[in-house]
Amino acid sequence: MTSDAELGLRDRLARLSGVKLLRGTRLSAEFERLQRQLERLKDDTSDEEIWQRVELARHKDRPYTLDYVERILDDFFELHGDRGRMDDHAIVAGIGKLEGRTIALLGHQKGRDLKERTKRNFGMAYPEGYRKAVRVMELADRHGFPLVTLVDTPGAFPGVAAEQHGQGGAIARSQAMMMRLGVPTVSVVIGEGGSGGAIAIAVADRVLMQENAIYSVISPEGCAAILWRDASQAKKAASAFRLDAAHCLDLGVIEGIVPEPVGGAQTDVDAAALFLRESVVSHLHELDGTASDDLRRARRAKFRSMGVFA
Amino acid sequence: MVEMSATDKVDVSIEHKQVTLDDGTVKKHPNTCPGCGSHYRDDELQASLRVCPQCEYHFPVRGLERIEQLADPGSFAEDESALRSGDPLEFFDLRPYTERLAEAEESTGLGDAMITGSALIEALPCRLAVMDFSFMGGSMGSVVGEKFARACDHAAADRLPLVSVSSSGGARMQEGILALMQLPKTICALEELHASGGVMISVLAHPTTGGLLASFASLGDVLVAEPGALMSFAGPRVVAQTTREKLPDDFGLAESNLRFGHIDRIVPRQELRPVLAQLIRLFRRTA
Ligand SMILES: [Zn+2]
């Protein structure tokens, strides 16, 4: 190992320990596991390891937004519709109680069986879905409810009607709205963080990823088809992208990693929900009491600083 | 449209109508009009603002030439031209990203896919952020994001209107997730410009797709597009493959976007300069 790599590793570990990942000590085993995971970054993570995360992120039994909602929130009331045209079932939203106070939550929702997948359009939203998101963000802001978003989409839906209804503009406006919010915001990528369809609802004070979630600018398959001119090179593309949580933390794109049960969130949904709840609550606690202007200022400064150039 | 006879066609250099690429494929010469097949010398196209005099097809315009078309002669002062992209992912597909960057810089003479600076349009001071599609398909990575953000900062500080001209295939894949982060970054900078009372006029040239349409290009106070410009979040090929729908003939084009209410006006290139001047005058705060 070169000294450069050692320095890089120390820096990464320092950064991780600086991240208030979870409250309490009972999750220290997960913390250690994550440290080992980060340590492995010093060697090149193999294409195969990263691809395993892609497969877990897309696992058919992986918990979706509503699986977490029923385990994390009390008294949930679902909100429907964009107040203009329709209710997009690929994005669910509502208000509920988290540790006794009302929060607003919205997230992508994939379907479990064929019928529900069709209804949810595989978690790929139309512009109406993003307009529904914006309406719920406005509601949260108006009433001082913290906003939690759960990201899990292959991407925004690419279709004729979606374009005619203004997909690009809707995604842009949803991000702009998140920049304006005066309430604390936490986003967690819980599965696939696919491109513009994901960032549309992930411009938050704290952005987290579950251990086996992925976050990327284009799907590995899409990238492989364009850059390698061969969609079967998706594994190579996935590892070139560094789309796993540890690398996204390393790149400064996210603030923390939410542990999952060994083997992935689908092996024990209750445990996965507990970890998720702990992480979200701990980050919201840290943001509590910050003035709206300060929240906005810090959020904007964070996104303003992203990128690498000389 | 007026009917054309064969002799109307300007065709001075037939031998250059096709170019044969290294791999043997034959490509139409860039100065041959895809609309009507007329062929032009470069100085002819430059004089017509790269609009086909026969059929009004709008040829692509490079960044600096666009600025020449819009700004008063000699008024443009470029800034932030020293910015160069890093290679945060040490990205390597068929070739290293650093090699692609170096090659793009050599072939275009630009540091990245956006040129920014101050200028006068019909004697009205403004800031310009103009994209160049020939630099890696106009893709938006860290440098484009930073340049646009700084253009917003300058516009806010100098209390000048910002005119952006976009022409881009979307986010730059070689910068991975950091390219995606340029969407919120540019939106954030534009939010600050708007918060300061500033105005942004967004000109959408062919093509403005993907991450560009899902970020600052859609958020101008006024949106105008060039005739025939493709402006879609997902490209026609992706939509056709994913949905197996038959695409309408005007799928994603400026004309369709106008009909569905996503842009304010389609402005032929010859009118772009006076239209921008009119808008700058309208938004000018009277002292
Ligand atoms: Zn023509």
Side-chain angles (χ1 to χ4, degrees):
Chain A
M1 192 164 79
T2 69
S3 58
D4 267 6
E6 262 179 40
L7 278 176
L9 173 63
R10 255 203 297 276
D11 178 53
R12 280 191 290 265
L13 289 175
R15 212 190 306 178
L16 177 66
S17 47
V19 172
K20 297 260 181 356
L21 193 66
L22 298 161
R23 290 177 305 164
T25 52
R26 67 199 166 92
L27 296 168
S28 59
E30 278 71 26
F31 186 82
E32 278 165 29
R33 199 151 48 83
L34 285 174
Q35 273 189 315
R36 283 199 300 278
Q37 185 185 322
L38 277 182
E39 255 172 74
R40 281 209 312 275
L41 281 177
K42 71 176 184 278
D43 315 313
D44 277 329
T45 325
S46 74
D47 292 8
E48 211 52 52
E49 270 176 285
I50 289 187
W51 191 250
Q52 276 168 14
R53 298 202 188 278
V54 175
E55 289 185 328
L56 280 175
R58 295 170 171 174
H59 197 285
K60 64 177 176 42
D61 296 326
R62 193 170 176 85
Y64 301 143
T65 294
L66 289 176
D67 297 309
Y68 288 123
V69 163
E70 67 180 57
R71 286 167 176 83
I72 289 173
L73 296 184
D74 300 319
D75 236 3
F76 183 68
F77 186 93
E78 189 171 347
L79 300 166
H80 290 277
D82 68 348
R83 294 295 185 268
R85 210 186 148 271
M86 68 175 226
D87 186 31
D88 187 337
H89 301 288
I91 287 185
V92 293
I95 49 177
K97 295 270 188 196
L98 178 65
E99 295 216 320
R101 69 163 160 181
T102 304
I103 67 153
L105 183 144
L106 62 93
H108 301 100
Q109 179 72 23
K110 295 179 176 174
R112 194 64 67 192
D113 55 30
L114 187 61
K115 194 174 156 226
E116 205 205 347
R117 281 196 195 121
T118 310
K119 176 185 167 189
R120 304 287 185 189
N121 201 26
F122 301 84
M124 296 186 285
Y126 276 72
E128 287 79 1
Y130 296 109
R131 293 188 185 117
K132 173 176 167 179
V134 166
R135 141 172 124 79
V136 174
M137 292 169 193
E138 285 170 342
L139 178 153
D141 202 40
R142 201 156 55 230
H143 297 281
F145 300 153
L147 175 73
V148 175
T149 74
L150 302 181
V151 177
D152 188 16
T153 180
F157 186 63
V160 173
E163 293 296 336
Q164 292 176 338
H165 301 171
Q167 189 69 285
I171 292 170
R173 266 178 281 280
S174 183
Q175 294 172 73
M177 176 52 69
M178 290 194 85
M179 290 289 180
R180 287 176 212 145
L181 297 179
V183 293
T185 53
V186 176
S187 294
V188 189
V189 186
I190 59 167
E192 289 182 274
S195 197
I199 191 68
I201 62 166
V203 188
D205 299 322
R206 300 293 164 83
V207 182
L208 314 174
M209 283 172 77
Q210 278 185 328
E211 199 179 334
N212 294 305
I214 58 173
Y215 200 2
S216 66
V217 65
I218 181 176
S219 73
E221 291 80 4
C223 171
I226 296 170
L227 291 184
W228 276 264
R229 299 189 189 105
D230 177 3
S232 70
Q233 301 292 315
K235 277 187 197 181
K236 267 191 199 159
S239 90
F241 268 161
R242 312 195 177 180
L243 42 59
D244 57 302
H247 277 112
C248 284
L249 182 69
D250 186 46
L251 288 166
V253 169
I254 61 170
E255 280 77 41
I257 299 175
V258 182
E260 290 178 30
V262 180
Q266 80 286 353
T267 62
D268 186 345
V269 179
D270 290 338
L274 183 70
F275 291 150
L276 181 65
R277 181 196 162 95
E278 288 283 317
S279 299
V280 168
V281 166
S282 111
H283 281 283
L284 284 180
H285 273 300
E286 282 182 22
L287 296 165
D288 267 346
T290 313
S292 294
D293 279 346
D294 294 334
L295 283 172
R296 270 189 291 265
R297 199 171 299 124
R299 191 185 306 136
R300 288 176 184 186
K302 178 178 82 156
F303 284 98
R304 177 67 174 76
S305 73
M306 284 189 187
V308 174
F309 48 84
Chain B
M1 211 174 92
V2 188
E3 203 166 302
M4 289 186 308
S5 72
T7 50
D8 284 338
K9 291 194 180 179
V10 189
D11 200 345
V12 289
S13 49
I14 287 169
E15 68 278 13
H16 290 130
K17 280 177 88 172
Q18 293 183 332
V19 283
T20 308
L21 301 177
D22 291 345
D23 60 2
T25 54
V26 178
K27 221 182 155 179
K28 277 235 160 64
H29 188 278
N31 286 6
T32 300
C33 177
C36 67
S38 302
H39 188 73
Y40 303 98
R41 289 193 317 268
D42 209 58
D43 61 318
E44 292 171 322
L45 274 186
Q46 210 174 339
S48 67
L49 305 181
R50 299 202 181 271
V51 176
C52 175
Q54 299 296 331
C55 74
E56 298 188 355
Y57 169 79
H58 283 51
F59 286 81
V61 186
R62 296 282 313 273
L64 282 172
E65 189 172 339
R66 173 76 71 178
I67 291 168
E68 274 170 33
Q69 293 179 2
L70 296 179
D72 296 355
S75 71
F76 180 67
E78 188 178 357
D79 57 25
E80 317 292 358
S81 61
L83 281 175
R84 291 295 181 279
S85 188
D87 182 16
L89 304 188
E90 294 166 352
F91 197 90
F92 190 103
D93 45 85
L94 297 175
R95 291 161 59 207
Y97 177 38
T98 48
E99 203 177 295
R100 288 185 191 274
L101 282 170
E103 190 189 87
E105 177 161 359
E106 191 172 302
S107 73
T108 63
L110 300 174
D112 213 298
M114 181 180 270
I115 306 166
T116 58
S118 58
L120 301 173
I121 295 179
E122 295 190 355
L124 300 160
C126 65
R127 285 267 163 189
L128 292 177
V130 175
M131 300 194 74
D132 193 317
F133 190 79
S134 18
F135 193 105
M136 294 188 76
S139 55
M140 177 161 70
S142 298
V143 170
V144 169
E146 182 67 18
K147 279 193 161 186
F148 180 80
R150 290 189 189 181
C152 289
D153 295 348
H154 288 306
D158 304 346
R159 303 187 82 68
L160 290 178
L162 173 63
V163 174
S164 83
V165 183
S166 54
S167 177
S168 167
R172 187 171 297 165
M173 282 178 285
Q174 288 87 351
E175 292 188 27
I177 192 69
L178 288 172
L180 185 64
M181 292 304 132
Q182 303 311 305
L183 277 63
K185 174 173 176 161
T186 54
I187 289 174
C188 167
L190 181 53
E191 279 291 302
E192 301 271 311
L193 172 62
H194 277 145
S196 78
V199 57
M200 199 268 265
I201 297 158
S202 178
V203 179
L204 300 111
H206 177 78
T208 298
T209 59
L212 259 287
L213 202 64
S215 67
F216 70 86
S218 282
L219 297 178
D221 294 276
V222 177
L223 268 62
V224 300
E226 291 203 316
L230 176 69
M231 38 179 298
S232 66
F233 175 67
R237 207 168 44 88
V238 172
V239 172
Q241 275 171 2
T242 313
T243 64
R244 301 203 175 89
E245 281 178 90
K246 186 184 169 346
L247 304 192
D249 291 339
D250 63 352
F251 173 81
L253 298 186
E255 291 72 14
S256 164
N257 276 281
L258 180 68
R259 200 150 41 85
F260 282 96
H262 304 309
I263 55 174
D264 295 292
R265 181 160 157 187
I266 293 172
V267 181
R269 197 169 287 157
Q270 300 90 328
E271 296 169 26
L272 191 52
R273 184 178 140 84
V275 164
L276 288 175
Q278 178 194 5
L279 285 169
I280 292 171
R281 279 193 302 270
L282 286 169
F283 279 98
R284 196 158 49 167
R285 280 163 286 197
T286 41

